[in-house]
Short mmCIF file of all heavy atoms in Angstrom, two decimals:
data_model
loop_
_atom_site.label_atom_id
_atom_site.label_comp_id
_atom_site.label_asym_id
_atom_site.label_seq_id
_atom_site.Cartn_x
_atom_site.Cartn_y
_atom_site.Cartn_z
N PHE Q 840 109.05 91.45 191.49
CA PHE Q 840 109.77 92.71 191.55
C PHE Q 840 111.28 92.52 191.53
O PHE Q 840 112.02 93.34 190.98
CB PHE Q 840 109.35 93.50 192.79
CG PHE Q 840 110.11 94.77 193.01
CD1 PHE Q 840 110.14 95.77 192.03
CD2 PHE Q 840 110.82 94.99 194.18
CE1 PHE Q 840 110.84 96.94 192.22
CE2 PHE Q 840 111.53 96.16 194.38
CZ PHE Q 840 111.54 97.14 193.40
N ARG Q 841 111.75 91.42 192.07
CA ARG Q 841 113.19 91.16 192.09
C ARG Q 841 113.77 91.00 190.69
O ARG Q 841 114.98 91.14 190.48
CB ARG Q 841 113.49 89.89 192.91
CG ARG Q 841 113.13 90.00 194.38
CD ARG Q 841 113.82 88.93 195.20
NE ARG Q 841 113.32 87.60 194.91
CZ ARG Q 841 112.32 86.99 195.57
NH1 ARG Q 841 111.69 87.65 196.54
NH2 ARG Q 841 111.95 85.77 195.25
N TYR Q 842 112.91 90.74 189.72
CA TYR Q 842 113.36 90.51 188.35
C TYR Q 842 113.05 91.70 187.43
O TYR Q 842 113.40 91.66 186.24
CB TYR Q 842 112.68 89.26 187.78
CG TYR Q 842 113.04 88.01 188.54
CD1 TYR Q 842 112.28 87.58 189.62
CD2 TYR Q 842 114.15 87.24 188.18
CE1 TYR Q 842 112.61 86.44 190.33
CE2 TYR Q 842 114.49 86.09 188.87
CZ TYR Q 842 113.72 85.70 189.95
OH TYR Q 842 114.06 84.57 190.64
N LEU Q 843 112.41 92.74 187.95
CA LEU Q 843 111.91 93.81 187.10
C LEU Q 843 113.02 94.49 186.30
O LEU Q 843 112.87 94.73 185.10
CB LEU Q 843 111.15 94.85 187.94
CG LEU Q 843 110.66 96.09 187.16
CD1 LEU Q 843 109.63 95.69 186.11
CD2 LEU Q 843 110.08 97.13 188.12
N GLU Q 844 114.11 94.84 186.96
CA GLU Q 844 115.18 95.54 186.26
C GLU Q 844 115.74 94.70 185.10
O GLU Q 844 115.98 95.22 184.00
CB GLU Q 844 116.31 95.89 187.24
CG GLU Q 844 115.99 97.09 188.12
CD GLU Q 844 115.98 98.40 187.34
OE1 GLU Q 844 117.06 98.90 186.99
OE2 GLU Q 844 114.88 98.91 187.08
N GLY Q 845 115.91 93.42 185.32
CA GLY Q 845 116.38 92.55 184.25
C GLY Q 845 115.38 92.45 183.12
O GLY Q 845 115.76 92.45 181.93
N TRP Q 846 114.11 92.36 183.47
CA TRP Q 846 113.07 92.30 182.43
C TRP Q 846 113.03 93.59 181.63
O TRP Q 846 112.86 93.56 180.39
CB TRP Q 846 111.71 92.04 183.06
CG TRP Q 846 111.56 90.65 183.61
CD1 TRP Q 846 112.25 89.53 183.26
CD2 TRP Q 846 110.63 90.25 184.63
NE1 TRP Q 846 111.81 88.45 183.99
CE2 TRP Q 846 110.82 88.86 184.83
CE3 TRP Q 846 109.67 90.91 185.38
CZ2 TRP Q 846 110.08 88.13 185.75
CZ3 TRP Q 846 108.93 90.18 186.31
CH2 TRP Q 846 109.13 88.82 186.48
N ASN Q 847 113.15 94.73 182.30
CA ASN Q 847 113.14 96.00 181.57
C ASN Q 847 114.33 96.09 180.62
O ASN Q 847 114.21 96.58 179.49
CB ASN Q 847 113.13 97.17 182.54
CG ASN Q 847 111.75 97.45 183.13
OD1 ASN Q 847 110.75 96.92 182.66
ND2 ASN Q 847 111.70 98.27 184.16
N ARG Q 848 115.49 95.63 181.07
CA ARG Q 848 116.65 95.63 180.16
C ARG Q 848 116.43 94.70 178.98
O ARG Q 848 116.82 95.01 177.84
CB ARG Q 848 117.91 95.21 180.93
CG ARG Q 848 118.43 96.27 181.90
CD ARG Q 848 119.82 95.94 182.38
NE ARG Q 848 119.84 94.72 183.17
CZ ARG Q 848 119.67 94.67 184.49
NH1 ARG Q 848 119.45 95.79 185.18
NH2 ARG Q 848 119.74 93.52 185.14
N ALA Q 849 115.78 93.57 179.21
CA ALA Q 849 115.48 92.65 178.11
C ALA Q 849 114.52 93.29 177.12
O ALA Q 849 114.66 93.12 175.90
CB ALA Q 849 114.90 91.34 178.65
N ARG Q 850 113.52 94.02 177.61
CA ARG Q 850 112.60 94.72 176.72
C ARG Q 850 113.35 95.76 175.88
O ARG Q 850 113.09 95.92 174.68
CB ARG Q 850 111.50 95.41 177.54
CG ARG Q 850 110.47 94.45 178.14
CD ARG Q 850 109.52 95.19 179.07
NE ARG Q 850 108.52 94.32 179.65
CZ ARG Q 850 107.34 94.03 179.11
NH1 ARG Q 850 107.02 94.57 177.93
NH2 ARG Q 850 106.49 93.21 179.70
N GLN Q 851 114.25 96.50 176.51
CA GLN Q 851 115.03 97.50 175.78
C GLN Q 851 115.90 96.84 174.72
O GLN Q 851 116.05 97.37 173.61
CB GLN Q 851 115.86 98.31 176.77
CG GLN Q 851 115.03 99.23 177.64
CD GLN Q 851 115.76 99.73 178.87
OE1 GLN Q 851 116.79 99.17 179.28
NE2 GLN Q 851 115.23 100.77 179.50
N ALA Q 852 116.45 95.67 175.03
CA ALA Q 852 117.26 94.95 174.04
C ALA Q 852 116.40 94.49 172.87
O ALA Q 852 116.81 94.55 171.71
CB ALA Q 852 117.96 93.76 174.70
N CYS Q 853 115.19 94.01 173.17
CA CYS Q 853 114.27 93.61 172.11
C CYS Q 853 113.90 94.80 171.23
O CYS Q 853 113.82 94.68 170.00
CB CYS Q 853 113.01 92.99 172.70
SG CYS Q 853 113.23 91.34 173.41
N ALA Q 854 113.67 95.96 171.84
CA ALA Q 854 113.33 97.16 171.08
C ALA Q 854 114.49 97.56 170.16
O ALA Q 854 114.28 97.90 168.99
CB ALA Q 854 112.98 98.30 172.02
N ALA Q 855 115.71 97.51 170.68
CA ALA Q 855 116.88 97.84 169.86
C ALA Q 855 117.03 96.87 168.69
O ALA Q 855 117.40 97.26 167.58
CB ALA Q 855 118.14 97.84 170.72
N ARG Q 856 116.70 95.61 168.93
CA ARG Q 856 116.79 94.61 167.86
C ARG Q 856 115.72 94.86 166.80
O ARG Q 856 115.99 94.77 165.60
CB ARG Q 856 116.66 93.21 168.44
CG ARG Q 856 117.04 92.10 167.46
CD ARG Q 856 117.45 90.86 168.20
NE ARG Q 856 116.42 90.39 169.12
CZ ARG Q 856 116.68 89.92 170.34
NH1 ARG Q 856 117.91 89.88 170.80
NH2 ARG Q 856 115.69 89.49 171.11
N TYR Q 857 114.49 95.20 167.22
CA TYR Q 857 113.46 95.59 166.25
C TYR Q 857 113.96 96.76 165.40
O TYR Q 857 113.83 96.76 164.17
CB TYR Q 857 112.18 96.02 166.97
CG TYR Q 857 111.15 94.95 167.18
CD1 TYR Q 857 110.50 94.83 168.42
CD2 TYR Q 857 110.76 94.08 166.17
CE1 TYR Q 857 109.51 93.89 168.63
CE2 TYR Q 857 109.77 93.12 166.38
CZ TYR Q 857 109.15 93.03 167.61
OH TYR Q 857 108.17 92.08 167.82
N ASP Q 858 114.51 97.78 166.07
CA ASP Q 858 115.00 98.96 165.35
C ASP Q 858 115.99 98.54 164.26
O ASP Q 858 115.93 99.01 163.12
CB ASP Q 858 115.67 99.94 166.31
CG ASP Q 858 114.69 100.61 167.25
OD1 ASP Q 858 113.47 100.46 167.07
OD2 ASP Q 858 115.16 101.31 168.17
N ARG Q 859 116.93 97.69 164.64
CA ARG Q 859 117.96 97.26 163.69
C ARG Q 859 117.37 96.45 162.55
O ARG Q 859 117.71 96.67 161.37
CB ARG Q 859 119.02 96.44 164.43
CG ARG Q 859 120.08 95.82 163.52
CD ARG Q 859 121.19 95.17 164.32
NE ARG Q 859 120.72 94.18 165.25
CZ ARG Q 859 120.43 92.91 164.92
NH1 ARG Q 859 120.52 92.51 163.65
NH2 ARG Q 859 120.03 92.05 165.83
N LEU Q 860 116.47 95.53 162.86
CA LEU Q 860 115.89 94.67 161.83
C LEU Q 860 115.04 95.48 160.85
O LEU Q 860 115.08 95.23 159.63
CB LEU Q 860 115.06 93.57 162.47
CG LEU Q 860 115.85 92.53 163.28
CD1 LEU Q 860 114.90 91.60 164.04
CD2 LEU Q 860 116.76 91.72 162.37
N PHE Q 861 114.29 96.45 161.34
CA PHE Q 861 113.49 97.29 160.44
C PHE Q 861 114.39 98.15 159.56
O PHE Q 861 114.10 98.37 158.38
CB PHE Q 861 112.53 98.17 161.24
CG PHE Q 861 111.26 97.47 161.65
CD1 PHE Q 861 110.93 97.32 162.99
CD2 PHE Q 861 110.40 96.96 160.70
CE1 PHE Q 861 109.77 96.68 163.38
CE2 PHE Q 861 109.22 96.31 161.07
CZ PHE Q 861 108.91 96.17 162.41
N ALA Q 862 115.49 98.65 160.13
CA ALA Q 862 116.43 99.44 159.32
C ALA Q 862 117.06 98.58 158.24
O ALA Q 862 117.20 99.02 157.08
CB ALA Q 862 117.51 100.05 160.22
N GLU Q 863 117.44 97.35 158.59
CA GLU Q 863 118.03 96.45 157.60
C GLU Q 863 117.04 96.12 156.49
O GLU Q 863 117.43 95.93 155.33
CB GLU Q 863 118.49 95.16 158.29
CG GLU Q 863 119.69 95.35 159.21
CD GLU Q 863 120.02 94.10 160.00
OE1 GLU Q 863 119.26 93.10 159.87
OE2 GLU Q 863 121.01 94.11 160.75
N ALA Q 864 115.76 96.07 156.83
CA ALA Q 864 114.73 95.77 155.83
C ALA Q 864 114.36 96.99 154.99
O ALA Q 864 113.59 96.87 154.03
CB ALA Q 864 113.49 95.21 156.53
N GLY Q 865 114.88 98.16 155.35
CA GLY Q 865 114.60 99.38 154.59
C GLY Q 865 113.19 99.89 154.74
O GLY Q 865 112.69 100.61 153.86
N LEU Q 866 112.53 99.57 155.85
CA LEU Q 866 111.13 99.94 156.04
C LEU Q 866 110.95 101.28 156.73
O LEU Q 866 109.87 101.86 156.71
CB LEU Q 866 110.40 98.86 156.85
CG LEU Q 866 110.22 97.52 156.14
CD1 LEU Q 866 109.67 96.48 157.10
CD2 LEU Q 866 109.28 97.67 154.95
N SER Q 867 111.98 101.77 157.39
CA SER Q 867 111.85 103.02 158.13
C SER Q 867 113.16 103.76 158.11
O SER Q 867 114.24 103.17 157.97
CB SER Q 867 111.43 102.73 159.57
OG SER Q 867 111.21 103.92 160.29
N VAL Q 868 113.09 105.09 158.25
CA VAL Q 868 114.29 105.91 158.33
C VAL Q 868 114.17 106.80 159.56
O VAL Q 868 113.07 107.16 159.98
CB VAL Q 868 114.47 106.78 157.06
CG1 VAL Q 868 114.71 105.92 155.85
CG2 VAL Q 868 113.25 107.68 156.84
N PRO Q 869 115.29 107.17 160.18
CA PRO Q 869 115.24 108.03 161.37
C PRO Q 869 114.62 109.39 161.07
O PRO Q 869 114.75 109.92 159.96
CB PRO Q 869 116.73 108.16 161.74
CG PRO Q 869 117.41 107.00 161.11
CD PRO Q 869 116.65 106.74 159.84
N GLY Q 870 113.97 109.93 162.06
CA GLY Q 870 113.47 111.29 161.96
C GLY Q 870 112.06 111.43 161.41
O GLY Q 870 111.49 112.51 161.44
N LYS Q 871 111.50 110.35 160.88
CA LYS Q 871 110.14 110.44 160.35
C LYS Q 871 109.13 110.42 161.49
O LYS Q 871 109.35 109.83 162.53
CB LYS Q 871 109.84 109.29 159.39
CG LYS Q 871 110.50 109.44 158.03
CD LYS Q 871 110.03 108.36 157.07
CE LYS Q 871 108.54 108.46 156.75
NZ LYS Q 871 108.20 109.73 156.05
N VAL Q 872 107.99 111.08 161.28
CA VAL Q 872 106.92 111.10 162.27
C VAL Q 872 105.71 110.31 161.79
O VAL Q 872 105.05 109.63 162.57
CB VAL Q 872 106.52 112.54 162.63
CG1 VAL Q 872 105.36 112.55 163.62
CG2 VAL Q 872 107.71 113.29 163.22
N TYR Q 873 105.44 110.38 160.48
CA TYR Q 873 104.27 109.71 159.93
C TYR Q 873 104.71 108.73 158.84
O TYR Q 873 105.64 109.00 158.08
CB TYR Q 873 103.29 110.72 159.34
CG TYR Q 873 102.89 111.82 160.28
CD1 TYR Q 873 103.26 113.14 160.04
CD2 TYR Q 873 102.15 111.52 161.43
CE1 TYR Q 873 102.89 114.15 160.92
CE2 TYR Q 873 101.79 112.52 162.31
CZ TYR Q 873 102.16 113.83 162.05
OH TYR Q 873 101.81 114.84 162.92
N PRO Q 874 104.03 107.60 158.72
CA PRO Q 874 104.36 106.64 157.66
C PRO Q 874 103.84 107.10 156.30
O PRO Q 874 102.89 107.89 156.21
CB PRO Q 874 103.67 105.36 158.13
CG PRO Q 874 102.48 105.85 158.90
CD PRO Q 874 102.94 107.11 159.58
N ASP Q 875 104.47 106.60 155.24
CA ASP Q 875 103.97 106.82 153.89
C ASP Q 875 104.34 105.61 153.05
O ASP Q 875 104.92 104.64 153.55
CB ASP Q 875 104.54 108.12 153.29
CG ASP Q 875 106.07 108.16 153.34
OD1 ASP Q 875 106.71 107.10 153.15
OD2 ASP Q 875 106.63 109.25 153.55
N ARG Q 876 104.04 105.64 151.77
CA ARG Q 876 104.28 104.47 150.92
C ARG Q 876 105.77 104.15 150.80
O ARG Q 876 106.17 102.99 150.76
CB ARG Q 876 103.67 104.68 149.53
CG ARG Q 876 102.16 104.65 149.54
CD ARG Q 876 101.59 104.68 148.13
NE ARG Q 876 100.14 104.64 148.16
CZ ARG Q 876 99.42 103.52 148.26
NH1 ARG Q 876 100.05 102.37 148.36
NH2 ARG Q 876 98.11 103.55 148.28
N GLN Q 877 106.59 105.17 150.75
CA GLN Q 877 108.02 104.94 150.59
C GLN Q 877 108.66 104.40 151.87
O GLN Q 877 109.54 103.53 151.82
CB GLN Q 877 108.72 106.23 150.17
CG GLN Q 877 110.21 106.05 149.88
CD GLN Q 877 110.88 107.34 149.44
OE1 GLN Q 877 110.24 108.39 149.41
NE2 GLN Q 877 112.15 107.25 149.09
N HIS Q 878 108.23 104.93 153.01
CA HIS Q 878 108.74 104.49 154.30
C HIS Q 878 107.53 104.17 155.19
O HIS Q 878 107.07 105.00 155.96
CB HIS Q 878 109.61 105.57 154.95
CG HIS Q 878 110.77 105.96 154.09
ND1 HIS Q 878 110.80 107.14 153.37
CD2 HIS Q 878 111.93 105.32 153.81
CE1 HIS Q 878 111.93 107.21 152.70
NE2 HIS Q 878 112.64 106.12 152.94
N PRO Q 879 107.00 102.95 155.05
CA PRO Q 879 105.68 102.65 155.61
C PRO Q 879 105.65 102.42 157.11
O PRO Q 879 104.57 102.31 157.69
CB PRO Q 879 105.29 101.37 154.87
CG PRO Q 879 106.58 100.72 154.51
CD PRO Q 879 107.53 101.85 154.22
N ILE Q 880 106.81 102.34 157.76
CA ILE Q 880 106.86 102.10 159.19
C ILE Q 880 107.57 103.27 159.88
O ILE Q 880 108.61 103.72 159.43
CB ILE Q 880 107.63 100.79 159.52
CG1 ILE Q 880 106.90 99.58 158.94
CG2 ILE Q 880 107.83 100.63 161.02
CD1 ILE Q 880 105.54 99.33 159.54
N VAL Q 881 106.98 103.74 160.98
CA VAL Q 881 107.66 104.70 161.85
C VAL Q 881 107.88 104.01 163.18
O VAL Q 881 106.94 103.53 163.82
CB VAL Q 881 106.84 105.99 162.04
CG1 VAL Q 881 107.49 106.89 163.10
CG2 VAL Q 881 106.71 106.74 160.72
N LEU Q 882 109.14 103.95 163.59
CA LEU Q 882 109.50 103.24 164.82
C LEU Q 882 109.25 104.10 166.05
O LEU Q 882 109.15 105.33 165.95
CB LEU Q 882 110.97 102.84 164.75
CG LEU Q 882 111.40 102.00 163.54
CD1 LEU Q 882 112.87 101.61 163.67
CD2 LEU Q 882 110.52 100.76 163.39
N PRO Q 883 109.16 103.48 167.23
CA PRO Q 883 109.02 104.28 168.45
C PRO Q 883 110.17 105.27 168.60
O PRO Q 883 111.33 104.92 168.37
CB PRO Q 883 109.08 103.21 169.56
CG PRO Q 883 108.67 101.95 168.91
CD PRO Q 883 109.17 102.03 167.50
N GLN Q 884 109.82 106.50 168.94
CA GLN Q 884 110.83 107.54 169.10
C GLN Q 884 111.15 107.75 170.57
O GLN Q 884 110.25 107.85 171.40
CB GLN Q 884 110.35 108.84 168.45
CG GLN Q 884 110.14 108.69 166.95
CD GLN Q 884 109.86 110.01 166.27
OE1 GLN Q 884 110.06 111.08 166.82
NE2 GLN Q 884 109.39 109.94 165.02
#
């Protein structure tokens, strides 16, 4: 428990990095709810 806050911040940093890497790869765009062929990934909202 003494490490929980740090671990949660690390998870949030990993999530932000996923978001950035997927955007750089052109796989997802903001605001989408469902995937399709053009934008096959929808990131956590």
Side-chain angles (χ1 to χ4, degrees):
F840 175 57
R841 296 198 292 268
Y842 298 90
L843 176 64
E844 282 290 285
W846 289 338
N847 281 348
R848 287 193 295 270
R850 287 173 179 272
Q851 290 163 343
C853 288
R856 192 156 57 220
Y857 267 136
D858 290 351
R859 174 173 56 82
L860 292 172
F861 278 119
E863 291 174 357
L866 292 172
S867 184
V868 295
K871 285 187 65 63
V872 177
Y873 306 114
D875 54 37
R876 290 188 179 276
Q877 185 179 3
H878 302 104
I880 296 295
V881 173
L882 304 184
Q884 297 188 15

